[in-house]
Amino acid sequence: MRKVGIISFVGIVGTGLLLRYTIVPDEEKMLKSLSPETRAIYERNKVQRREQHDKIMEQMIESAKSDKPIWKKMSENKGVNIKNEKQADTAPTPQNTPIFTAPLPTAAAVSSETADALATQNPALLSMLQGRLGSLIGAPSGYIDSLPKAVRERVDGLRCLQQQHTDIDKKLHLEIFELEKKYSELYAPLYARRTEIVQGAAEPTDAEKEEGAKIAEAEKEDAEVESGITEVPEDGEDAEEATGIPEFWLTALRNHPQLAELITDRDEGAIKFLRDIRLVYLSDKPGFKLEFEFAENPYFSNSVLSKTYVYEQSDVAGDLEFGSAQGTEIDWKPENDLSVTVETKKQRHKTSNRTRVVKKTVPAETFFSFFATVEEPESDDDSELADETRDRIELDYELAEEFKEKIVPCAIDWFTGKALAYEGLDEEEYDDGFMDDYYDDEDDDDEDDDEDDDDVDDLSRSAKDAAEPPQCKNQ
């Protein structure tokens, strides 16, 4: 049997080789079957392709060895005519397929094709090459060092001038910051007057009401401005009981697209007690503090929630950038802690058939996460959690800038909705959940329960459902 198998195998291989040499013609046989004119075209194109290939390889080797920029070195080599008009003729190949004449691929095309091939055939090698190339970004090419000494000295002189320019920029940005602090003192009486009117501690003067009415009338003529105010009869019961401007800050924050994504229905009850938002510049270093003053409320005992931001000055451009942030620890009242929800589950034991109620506290999405202090991950930490934390910090800085530059200075415009017009904001342009990265992602799976317990009824409910806060009206 073994001999028969070997003989069969040899017979199959022999038959294959015989068919290969009898059916598929080689190059010599194919050329003999062509006409003299077609054979001449084929031979000419073959020689040209070989010459161009050799010249391209020589240029690449010379460019790799040279200290000159690659674009300059390649431009000096003009020996290869990749658009040779003589290549317009076509001729069949030995496999009876046409030759498509086209310009030789560029370096970018070659690298793209090479990357695609590597990605398919050897992903690990591609990853290693990308890492090597990434380490070369910003590294000196050797071109500057190859310049004559006199030219290098002139380059050093320009570096010195650029550093002097950066030093002036640093002073400019610091002076701009000091100018902001100076003008904040001029704004302070206006903000104080606004707070008095909003809280009902004072009424606007006749002159203020008259000027404001003119502004409102002008806004009505602008079709793009849609007021968020609903007019009510002056002699109604609500008009007699209302003090100041109820829910002023809640309405203003709700009209801001980004903040509206953060404020949950549960948050509204607490934000109704918000009396004022203040911007305070730091005196000892560049930075500012946002202060949120609250009336006494059933949610937390803090009267002021604040967040402090410290700037760092860029060594490259001299501008002020966010460096760190420090928030306030909120003293939540247990029955109305908006930062968590309570999940209640009813479980029955498999063998004893006894039931028990299990309560589990899990983090909840809330606007008040804004006051948390988020630590910056280590620079070399490239984990998914570190990336999410960096995204959250970036969002936090964006929100701080919104409060500083828009919400505090123009609160009335956000209350009426006018700001949506001059800011060019359209709520339809924002995707649902685009602020999801601001919240901490938590796994709600409860796989650590007793293995002998069987969930039969999920009665999950929030802390608000467990203890409904009293309905109070901020006056």
Side-chain angles (χ1 to χ4, degrees):
M1 288 293 297
R2 185 174 181 181
K3 291 182 178 180
V4 173
I6 295 175
I7 294 173
S8 299
F9 174 76
V10 172
I12 293 172
V13 173
T15 303
L17 293 175
L18 179 63
L19 292 174
R20 169 70 176 81
Y21 287 105
T22 56
I23 297 177
V24 181
D26 58 12
E27 181 179 5
E28 183 178 357
K29 292 181 179 180
M30 178 61 68
L31 290 177
K32 289 181 179 180
S33 65
L34 300 176
S35 64
E37 295 80 5
T38 303
R39 187 161 55 246
I41 294 174
Y42 172 82
E43 293 291 350
R44 184 169 64 250
N45 288 341
K46 180 179 179 180
V47 173
Q48 289 177 351
R49 287 196 299 271
R50 172 55 60 185
E51 292 177 351
Q52 291 177 353
H53 176 271
D54 294 341
K55 290 180 180 179
I56 290 276
M57 292 302 298
E58 292 177 2
Q59 292 179 10
M60 293 180 65
I61 295 174
E62 292 177 3
S63 298
K65 294 180 179 179
S66 175
D67 291 332
K68 295 182 180 180
I70 189 169
W71 61 266
K72 187 173 182 180
K73 184 64 181 177
M74 293 295 290
S75 65
E76 294 176 355
N77 298 315
K78 301 180 180 179
V80 178
N81 179 17
I82 63 174
K83 296 183 179 180
N84 195 326
E85 298 298 334
K86 295 182 180 180
Q87 292 181 358
D89 298 331
T90 59
T93 63
Q95 286 74 30
N96 201 25
T97 58
I99 297 176
F100 295 96
T101 59
L104 293 178
T106 61
V110 172
S111 61
S112 176
E113 294 173 2
T114 303
D116 292 340
L118 285 174
T120 303
Q121 300 175 6
N122 197 333
L125 178 59
L126 175 61
S127 177
M128 182 190 70
L129 291 175
Q130 289 176 336
R132 295 282 183 87
L133 292 174
S135 65
L136 296 177
I137 297 177
S141 63
Y143 170 65
I144 301 299
D145 294 336
S146 67
L147 296 174
K149 180 180 179 181
V151 177
R152 292 200 306 271
E153 291 175 348
R154 297 183 190 113
V155 172
D156 290 338
L158 296 183
R159 287 175 173 149
C160 177
L161 295 178
Q162 184 61 45
Q163 183 58 49
Q164 294 176 18
H165 188 284
T166 302
D167 293 340
I168 296 175
D169 278 342
K170 290 182 178 180
K171 295 179 180 179
L172 170 64
H173 290 289
L174 289 176
E175 289 187 13
I176 291 175
F177 179 75
E178 293 299 324
L179 195 61
E180 288 184 9
K181 293 172 61 176
K182 174 184 176 181
Y183 274 83
S184 69
E185 298 177 359
L186 301 178
Y187 297 140
L190 302 179
Y191 296 153
R193 179 65 175 161
R194 179 180 69 186
T195 301
E196 291 177 351
I197 296 175
V198 169
Q199 296 180 6
E203 293 293 334
T205 64
D206 293 339
E208 290 171 342
K209 289 187 287 186
E210 182 179 355
E211 183 64 25
K214 292 180 181 179
I215 297 173
E217 189 65 28
E219 291 176 358
K220 289 181 180 179
E221 298 176 359
D222 188 350
E224 295 182 359
V225 177
E226 297 182 1
S227 176
I229 301 176
T230 302
E231 296 183 0
V232 296
E234 295 182 0
D235 56 351
E237 184 179 348
D238 292 340
E240 294 179 359
E241 294 182 356
T243 302
I245 305 179
E247 302 180 8
F248 174 83
W249 287 106
L250 173 60
T251 304
L253 299 183
R254 271 295 194 185
N255 280 336
H256 189 285
Q258 285 178 286
L259 295 173
E261 287 285 339
L262 286 177
I263 299 174
T264 67
D265 293 339
R266 299 174 63 207
D267 293 330
E268 289 188 2
I271 298 177
K272 288 179 181 179
F273 291 91
L274 181 58
R275 295 166 56 88
D276 194 20
I277 302 178
R278 295 185 293 268
L279 171 65
V280 180
Y281 284 89
L282 304 183
S283 58
D284 56 340
K285 50 191 171 183
F288 63 92
K289 178 191 294 186
L290 295 171
E291 294 182 344
F292 295 69
E293 180 185 344
F294 286 84
E296 185 177 353
N297 62 82
Y299 295 91
F300 45 82
S301 59
N302 311 68
S303 59
V304 176
L305 301 179
S306 65
K307 194 155 191 181
T308 303
Y309 295 88
V310 178
Y311 287 127
E312 292 180 353
Q313 195 160 28
S314 170
D315 293 331
V316 178
D319 53 347
L320 297 177
E321 304 172 340
F322 283 102
S324 62
Q326 183 71 33
T328 300
E329 183 176 353
I330 302 177
D331 187 12
W332 292 104
K333 296 180 180 180
E335 66 275 13
N336 291 321
D337 187 348
L338 300 178
S339 66
V340 297
T341 58
V342 177
E343 292 184 352
T344 303
K345 294 184 178 181
K346 189 176 181 180
Q347 297 177 335
R348 180 184 293 113
H349 198 276
K350 291 181 178 179
T351 56
S352 65
N353 205 31
R354 294 180 178 179
T355 60
R356 68 173 182 177
V357 177
V358 179
K359 293 184 178 181
K360 180 181 179 182
T361 301
V362 296
E365 296 181 352
T366 174
F367 163 78
F368 293 92
S369 298
F370 171 75
F371 298 99
T373 301
V374 184
E375 299 295 337
E376 180 78 29
E378 297 293 335
S379 58
D380 57 348
D381 188 352
D382 56 356
S383 64
E384 183 177 353
L385 177 61
D387 291 338
E388 292 177 356
T389 303
R390 293 187 185 97
D391 291 340
R392 183 180 177 185
I393 292 175
E394 183 178 354
L395 283 173
D396 180 63
Y397 291 156
E398 291 178 3
L399 291 175
E401 194 70 15
E402 290 293 305
F403 277 111
K404 174 177 177 288
E405 299 294 336
K406 299 178 181 179
I407 301 295
V408 173
C410 307
I412 182 60
D413 289 344
W414 289 103
F415 176 79
T416 62
K418 176 183 177 181
L420 293 173
Y422 65 68
E423 287 288 340
L425 299 176
D426 185 354
E427 292 184 1
E428 294 181 357
E429 296 178 0
Y430 291 85
D431 296 332
D432 292 339
F434 79 106
M435 293 292 290
D436 288 348
D437 289 340
Y438 191 80
Y439 299 110
D440 289 329
D441 294 333
E442 297 292 338
D443 187 359
D444 294 331
D445 294 337
D446 188 12
E447 298 179 355
D448 296 331
D449 291 343
D450 190 351
E451 294 181 358
D452 295 332
D453 293 334
D454 184 27
D455 295 345
V456 295
D457 188 21
D458 190 349
L459 304 176
S460 299
R461 55 196 177 98
S462 66
K464 180 179 180 181
D465 300 327
E468 184 72 19
Q471 298 295 327
C472 298
K473 192 170 186 179
N474 184 18
Q475 298 187 5

